[in-house]
Amino acid sequence: MAEMLYTPAILALAVSLADHPLTDDLPHRAELRSQSCGSVVKVGLALDGEGQVERFGVHATACALGQASTAILAGHVAGQGSEALVAARDDLAAFLAGERPDPGQWPGIEHLASALPYPARHGSILLPWRATVAALDLSARTDT
C-alpha cells in the first residue's frame, strides 16, 4: 500500500500557520514563488543582536505540504541563526533530491517524508526554507 501524501500530521500542521502572522514590524523580508506549482511564501524576520531570529511571521499561499513545511519551520525558527537555517534547508533539499536518507534533524521535519515520491511538490516544500534564508541574506547585506 502506498504511503499517504496528506497525512493527518501534515493537515494539522497546515492549519497552524495562523500562529505566525506576517506583521509590518518585521523588517527583514523575502517573498518567493515556486515556478513548479505557483505557491508563494512571504516571510518577515526580526533578529536579535546576535543575528538570531527573534520573531518570525509568514503568509503562505501553498498546498497543504507547503503550508506544513512552513509550519515546521515556524515552530522552531526562534533562536536560530543563518548557519542552522541554511543547514536545515540544505538537508531537506538533499533528502528530496535522493542524496541523503533522511530530511535532517529539524524538529518535525520527518513529517515531510511522505512527499518524497512526489517531486512536483518538492518546490513548495522547500519554499519557506529558501525564503527564510533569503531574508537572512538580505538582512546581512543591509546590516553591514
Side-chain angles (χ1 to χ4, degrees):
M1 185 168 143
E3 190 170 334
M4 186 178 1
L5 177 59
Y6 292 115
T7 65
I10 291 289
L11 296 174
L13 284 162
V15 299
S16 70
L17 287 180
D19 297 339
H20 308 281
L22 182 60
T23 57
D24 292 337
D25 62 339
L26 297 170
H28 307 291
R29 295 176 172 266
E31 177 180 337
L32 294 180
R33 176 182 304 274
S34 170
Q35 293 185 8
S36 63
C37 66
S39 294
V40 177
V41 173
K42 301 175 189 178
V43 299
L45 310 170
L47 305 176
D48 65 15
E50 304 295 316
Q52 310 293 315
V53 176
E54 189 171 63
R55 292 183 302 115
F56 176 85
V58 63
H59 178 76
T61 306
C63 66
L65 284 166
Q67 290 181 18
S69 181
T70 305
I72 290 167
L73 167 68
H76 298 281
V77 72
Q80 302 296 327
S82 181
E83 187 174 311
L85 288 159
V86 167
R89 177 205 59 195
D90 292 349
D91 287 349
L92 181 57
F95 170 72
L96 293 172
E99 298 167 359
R100 66 175 283 149
D102 63 74
Q105 299 302 308
W106 193 272
I109 200 82
E110 69 278 359
H111 294 297
L112 299 175
S114 66
L116 186 59
Y118 301 92
R121 304 301 173 104
H122 295 178
S124 183
I125 291 167
L126 287 168
L127 204 58
W129 304 88
R130 290 178 172 155
T132 301
V133 170
L136 286 168
D137 287 347
L138 290 171
S139 77
R141 282 188 246 149
T142 59
D143 290 346
T144 57

